[in-house]
């Protein structure tokens, strides 16, 4: 199957690589970085010089996958493609857009016969190897037509045991992707996924911070413990009730340096946590853990703890997220004459 993909960053480039290596799909690629395009052309992709050139190189019905930062850049890109595409074509937004933007876009594009899918994509920088868990919103006919794309990108069933009682349900779910519902549903589910992620990460971070401080002088000597955090993280991965990929990443980071010296503890948020809390407010659903986790990230930008370093290590592990550069010292003002 042929597909165009724009945005060849940490995830977009690996999506192309997986489509070519696993599914033998024909992928037309474009990015502002000519090197990113050239690298993928070298493994079999077809390069495009512009959005217009990409549309020309795709056969009807065309499908384009946008993998760009949420917000103005994605909005402009959708508008540009919409002006060049025809009835029957499909636009996919695989980034982390706000779900209400998807509802609006789908309605506008539908007036011109263009299909729109919102695909919440989880897998980070490891997606090439592990596959991508996808949460898809849009009309069923389009989702089913593009199943050869989604099935190749998905992780597959792997060695995870089947859940009892799932007989007769959609088999795609057990392979790591779901048609979650109409337009907006995919990114809504991904939004909640990321909100939960905030809470899980915060729980791990706080737990390791408590362990690290178990030997402070303020405690009675007989109540102090000097724990090996790397070993604790590793043993929890093996048979405990709290294993996860996030714990795997934490264990790997602690093994390299138990003080996490390479991390300042400045933890950004990319929007989904805020949107999750807004949805909870709209629905009058209490979300204390996720809210506290978001506020902890806000605090981290002013006062760093070891817990924030653990958060930074996890974010770098699964998504390649780096901390912002430290601001340079301000130059002294020139003296007036």
């Amino acid at each position: 199957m042929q597909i165009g993909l724009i945005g060849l960053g940490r995830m977009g480039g690996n999506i192309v690589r997986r489509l070519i290596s696993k599914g033998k799909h024909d992928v037309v690629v474009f990015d502002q970085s000519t090197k990113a395009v050239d690298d993928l052309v070298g493994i079999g992709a077809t390069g495009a010089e512009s959005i217009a050139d990409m549309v020309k190189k795709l056969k009807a019905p065309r499908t384009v996958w946008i993998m760009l930062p949420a917000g103005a850049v994605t909005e402009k890109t959708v508008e540009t493609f919409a002006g060049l595409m025809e009835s029957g074509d499909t636009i996919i937004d695989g980034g982390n857009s706000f779900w209400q933007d998807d509802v609006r876009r789908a309605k506008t594009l539908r007036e011109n016969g263009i299909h729109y899918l919102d695909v919440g994509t989880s897998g980070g920088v490891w997606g090439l190897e592990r596959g991508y868990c996808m949460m898809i919103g849009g009309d069923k006919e389009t989702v089913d037509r593009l199943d050869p794309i989604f099935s190749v990108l998905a992780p597959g069933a792997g060695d995870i045991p089947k859940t009892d009682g799932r007989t007769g349900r959609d088999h795609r779910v057990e392979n790591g992707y779901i048609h979650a519902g109409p337009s907006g549903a995919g990114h809504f589910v991904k939004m909640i996924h990321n909100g939960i992620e905030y809470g899980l990460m915060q729980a791990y971070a706080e737990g390791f911070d408590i362990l690290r401080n178990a030997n402070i002088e303020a405690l009675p000597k007989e109540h102090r413990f000097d724990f090996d955090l790397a070993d604790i993280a590793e043993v929890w991965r093996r048979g405990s009730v709290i294993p996860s990929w996030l714990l795997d990443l934490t264990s790997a980071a602690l093994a390299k340096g138990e003080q996490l010296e390479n991390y300042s503890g400045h933890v950004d948020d990319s929007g989904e946590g805020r949107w999750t809390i807004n949805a909870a407010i709209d629905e009058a659903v209490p979300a204390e853990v996720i809210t506290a986790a978001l506020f902890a990230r806000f605090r981290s930008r002013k006062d760093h703890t070891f817990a924030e370093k653990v958060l930074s290590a996890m974010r770098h592990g699964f998504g390649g997220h780096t901390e912002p550069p430290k601001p340079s010292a301000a130059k002294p003002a020139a003296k007036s004459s």
Side-chain angles (χ1 to χ4, degrees), residues 21-64:
S21 64
K22 301 289 186 180
K24 310 300 182 183
H25 292 288
D26 177 14
V27 189
V28 181
V29 297
F30 173 65
D31 192 275
Q32 294 296 327
S33 168
T34 55
K35 182 181 184 305
V37 173
D38 291 343
D39 287 347
L40 294 173
V41 168
I43 64 168
T46 300
E49 297 179 356
S50 65
I51 291 177
D53 187 41
M54 174 180 284
V55 173
K56 289 180 181 178
K57 290 179 175 177
L58 293 170
K59 300 175 183 178
R62 304 169 188 84
T63 300
V64 297

Side-chain angles (χ1 to χ4, degrees), residues 70-232:
V73 175
T74 292
E75 189 71 29
K76 179 63 176 177
T77 304
V78 171
E79 291 175 357
T80 302
F81 273 116
L84 297 169
M85 297 175 78
E86 301 173 346
S87 178
D89 293 345
T90 301
I91 296 174
I92 298 172
D93 178 7
N96 281 325
S97 290
F98 183 43
W99 64 273
Q100 291 183 13
D101 290 337
D102 297 313
V103 175
R104 170 180 51 79
R105 291 173 190 158
K107 181 179 179 181
T108 300
L109 293 169
R110 195 179 303 119
E111 295 172 356
N112 294 321
I114 298 174
H115 304 284
Y116 179 87
L117 300 182
D118 51 286
V119 180
T121 309
S122 179
V125 296
W126 296 88
L128 175 59
E129 175 186 346
R130 295 166 59 105
Y132 299 91
C133 176
M134 291 168 290
M135 296 138 268
I136 308 166
D139 66 278
K140 183 179 184 302
E141 180 181 354
T142 303
V143 174
D144 290 347
R145 180 174 67 82
L146 295 177
D147 191 73
I149 296 292
F150 300 130
S151 63
V152 165
L153 292 176
D159 57 1
I160 300 175
K162 287 184 176 293
T163 301
D164 291 339
R166 287 199 52 85
T167 304
R169 290 179 175 269
D170 189 348
H171 73 280
R172 292 177 292 193
V173 173
E174 295 177 346
N175 286 289
Y177 64 117
I178 183 175
H179 180 203
S183 297
H187 277 147
F188 191 99
V189 175
K190 178 58 161 53
M191 173 184 74
I192 303 304
H193 165 283
N194 285 21
I196 292 171
E197 179 185 291
Y198 278 39
L200 290 172
M201 292 173 69
Q202 188 65 29
Y204 282 127
E206 291 175 6
F208 281 104
D209 205 359
I210 296 168
L211 289 168
R212 180 175 179 267
N213 285 283
N215 64 348
I216 61 173
E217 293 184 1
L219 296 171
K221 188 173 182 180
E222 64 271 22
H223 292 173
R224 299 178 198 169
F225 300 100
D226 188 13
F227 291 118
D228 187 317
L229 301 189
D231 280 358
I232 291 173

Side-chain angles (χ1 to χ4, degrees), residues 250 253-255 257-264 306 309-311 313:
T250 303
L254 289 170
E258 206 168 287
Q259 300 305 315
L260 301 179
E261 297 89 347
N262 293 330
Y263 302 96
S264 72
F306 184 75
K309 290 187 177 185
V310 177
L311 288 175

